[in-house]
Each structure stands twice: as C-alpha cells, then as structure tokens.
Amino acid sequence: AVVSTQSTGLTDCITKVKLTTTTTAVILPDGGQVSYTEPTADYKIEKRLIFVLVPGYMGDHKTNYVLHLAEILLHHGIWPVIFTDRGKGGMNLKSAKFFSAGYNDGLAAVMDTIMDDNPAANYGIIGISFGGMVAVNTLYNYHRREELVVQILLSTPLESMQTVHRLNSTSRAKLFYSKPFGSRIKKLLAHNESVFSATSNDKKLFKGLLRSESMTDIDEEFIAPMFGYKSAAEYYQDICLTKCLRDIDIFTICINSDDDPCFCKTMYPREVIEGNPKVCLVTTTAGGHYGFAGLGWPFTHATYSDKMVAQITSMILADVT
C-alpha cells in the first residue's frame, strides 16, 4: 500500500532528552563488540512490547534524535532498546571488522539477547536512514524473524543504486551527506589503526580508507572488500532493499519524504511495495531526510515522525495486550 500525507517542513532541532539509560556490551564470536542501551530500572514499565532502534550511519545510543525517539516510545508504554554498532558510541573496534548495510551479526546477537531475556514480550524494530537498511537486510535472514510483529523504516533509502547515484550527482547531497559522512567515518576509525595491522589485507583496507574522501569512496575502498565484494557496485546491488521488500513476511511500514535529498519520490519502488500486502509506504510532501516537522512545531516539540511512530506502536501495544 502507498499512502501520501502532509508534513509542514524540515527540522533538525529536537528538545533536550532527559532519559536515563544503561548500556550493555555484547562480545561477538570474532572478538568484535556491539552494545545495546535501554532505560534504567527506575522506569517501571511492563515489557509487553519492546522496540529495538537501529540508528543512522553515524548515530548511536548517545545521539539526541535516537534518545528522543526512545523517550517517545517510553512515554507510550513501549520499552526501547538502542543498538550501537561496532566502533560507534565511544567503543573502540575490537577486531578488524566494521559494519555494512547488509546482514549485521551484531544486531542479530542483540536481538537474540533481548528475546532470550524477555521471552514473554512482543518485539518490533525501528530503523532510521542507513539503520533501516541494516534492519531489513538483517531481519530478512534472521532465524527468529517470525517473532517480530513489525519493522518501521524512517527515511530509509529503499533502492541503493539510485540513492548512491543521487548522492554523487547533486551538489546538495554531496555537500551535506556524502563528503561530511565520509570525513566522519575516517575520523571515527582513525584511532583504530592498530586492529588493522595483523595481516597485509587488513593494512591494505586501512590504507584504502585513508585514501577515501566520501561515503562512496569508503564503500569502494574499505567496506566492499572487507565483506567480500569485488566492488562497491556489487555491494550496493546486494544490499538493495527491493528484493527484501518483495518477499518479506514481516509487516513493514516505510515513512519517507518526497523531498529527501538522499532518496526522493521518483525513486520509490512502488510496484514492489504494491505487490506485497505486508509492506506499506507512507510519504510526506516535505520533511527532508529524517526531519519531519509537524503542525505547530517547534512550539509543540513534536515531529511528524514522532506522532506516526507513537500512533503505530501504540496500536500494536493495544493489540498485543
């Protein structure tokens, strides 16, 4: 299904979050480390519905928009858990492996942990931007995906090849996304050089990283070869969400803005979405990239995506109670 609606504009300003949390590290079989963050025990909420939040490319459990979304969920009686990937959130890399937009063993490990610790709960996942790609590609091959009731994707590029082309063909996207994110990834990994010194291949990967200037450069020189792809183009083809959306058996809600500089309305895979009754696309006329301002903002301190997520998750909570 495809639904069009209204959002009044773009905002990147969110009220200060007062949520108190605790973070738990998860060590992976290769020695790598991820973590999950949840509210402290002071919050007396029955864990009937748990949502795992997968942040954007550079987001983690300390990022304001992620904590804000967690606070919204908690306010509506839903237990939020924030996933933080390898090398993010102040964690050093423990092995010579970063993360990609494909299947994520760290996210799967965190999902296993949450489900094992809360066997009576119901589960959902919210992926934001790049995190939505990680979520979909992971759940598509996740051995316990039938235990999830829904996945919600916010400003997630649904067609990777077209998104990459857009990020490299418009000055706006290059200026605000591709190059700045490339610089931030390099800065994030700069102090982890020691873990890439064990083998000649690891050293080669790190040198490729240092040569890169943009997100697509990093994908070509660092991410693609790290995960066994011959090129970034092969990597983009493999992580493209259209194949997942065509066959996915988890109820999936995609919320996107028509004026997203990374993924605009001409790029929606409408035929794929309309062909799977489990998938729904909700579009807004404005909102940019995860910046859905609602009527009355900033005085209401609530964004359009806040209200959408609150409505959807509250209905699910009522249904499973």
Side-chain angles (χ1 to χ4, degrees):
V2 179
V3 180
S4 296
T5 184
Q6 294 288 327
S7 175
T8 58
L10 173 65
T11 173
D12 58 4
C13 180
I14 294 176
T15 54
K16 188 174 181 180
V17 177
K18 299 178 181 179
L19 186 66
T20 56
T21 61
T22 180
T23 298
T24 303
V26 176
I27 306 302
L28 304 174
D30 71 338
Q33 177 179 306
V34 297
S35 71
Y36 64 92
T37 301
E38 56 188 336
T40 60
D42 300 336
Y43 295 93
K44 306 298 183 182
I45 291 180
E46 185 180 354
K47 299 178 184 178
R48 293 172 297 172
L49 180 59
I50 298 173
F51 264 87
V52 175
L53 310 184
V54 187
Y57 199 18
M58 293 299 298
D60 55 51
H61 65 282
K62 300 178 182 179
T63 306
N64 201 51
Y65 74 82
V66 182
L67 288 168
H68 174 77
L69 185 55
E71 194 173 50
I72 290 290
L73 292 173
L74 195 63
H75 177 73
H76 287 83
I78 297 148
W79 193 258
V81 176
I82 302 169
F83 169 67
T84 296
D85 218 330
R86 301 169 184 251
K88 299 202 295 184
M91 292 186 293
N92 288 325
L93 286 177
K94 303 297 184 181
S95 66
K97 183 179 180 181
F98 199 43
F99 58 83
S100 75
Y103 179 85
N104 190 298
D105 58 346
L107 177 58
V110 166
M111 294 295 298
D112 282 344
T113 301
I114 298 301
M115 289 178 173
D116 289 344
D117 290 347
N118 303 276
N122 296 277
Y123 316 98
I125 195 164
I126 298 175
I128 304 165
S129 186
F130 178 90
M133 300 177 70
V134 174
V136 173
N137 279 312
T138 300
L139 293 187
Y140 187 70
N141 293 296
Y142 183 49
H143 66 289
R144 299 173 67 176
R145 68 176 180 271
E146 70 280 355
E147 297 181 47
L148 280 88
V149 293
V150 68
Q151 58 182 346
I152 301 172
L153 312 180
L154 304 175
S155 292
T156 294
L158 306 178
E159 218 297 336
S160 53
M161 293 297 289
Q162 292 188 46
T163 301
V164 170
H165 176 73
R166 185 172 176 82
L167 285 173
N168 287 281
S169 62
T170 66
S171 56
R172 179 186 176 191
K174 278 186 178 181
L175 180 63
F176 291 107
Y177 293 95
S178 187
K179 288 190 174 181
F181 273 77
S183 297
R184 291 175 67 185
I185 287 292
K186 286 177 67 174
K187 184 177 180 180
L188 178 69
L189 290 169
H191 64 282
N192 288 285
E193 183 175 3
S194 60
V195 301
F196 292 97
S197 60
T199 68
S200 59
N201 186 61
D202 291 342
K203 293 177 182 178
K204 182 179 178 181
L205 285 175
F206 197 79
K207 288 180 180 178
L209 171 71
L210 297 180
R211 288 195 302 269
S212 303
E213 295 184 358
S214 66
M215 284 175 60
T216 47
D217 291 341
I218 290 174
D219 289 339
E220 180 70 42
E221 300 286 344
F222 186 68
I223 299 297
M226 176 181 289
F227 288 90
Y229 299 101
K230 296 178 181 178
S231 65
E234 185 179 66
Y235 164 59
Y236 297 143
Q237 184 175 9
D238 189 54
I239 64 172
C240 184
L241 298 191
T242 52
K243 68 178 186 298
C244 299
L245 295 176
R246 182 180 294 110
D247 303 324
I248 196 73
D249 52 2
I250 302 171
F251 189 52
T252 302
I253 302 172
C254 313
I255 303 176
N256 291 82
S257 171
D258 290 347
D259 67 348
D260 190 325
C262 300
F263 186 75
C264 66
K265 63 180 180 180
T266 60
M267 298 158 64
Y268 299 147
R270 293 179 181 272
E271 290 185 6
V272 172
I273 292 169
E274 291 170 352
N276 188 343
K278 292 283 188 177
V279 180
C280 176
L281 171 65
V282 179
T283 68
T284 68
T285 54
H289 192 68
Y290 195 58
F292 304 92
L295 184 64
W297 187 91
F299 305 105
T300 60
H301 300 300
T303 67
Y304 180 80
S305 53
D306 291 342
K307 295 177 181 179
M308 283 291 295
V309 169
Q311 290 174 1
I312 293 167
T313 55
S314 294
M315 285 190 293
I316 294 170
L317 178 61
D319 187 58
V320 301
T321 301

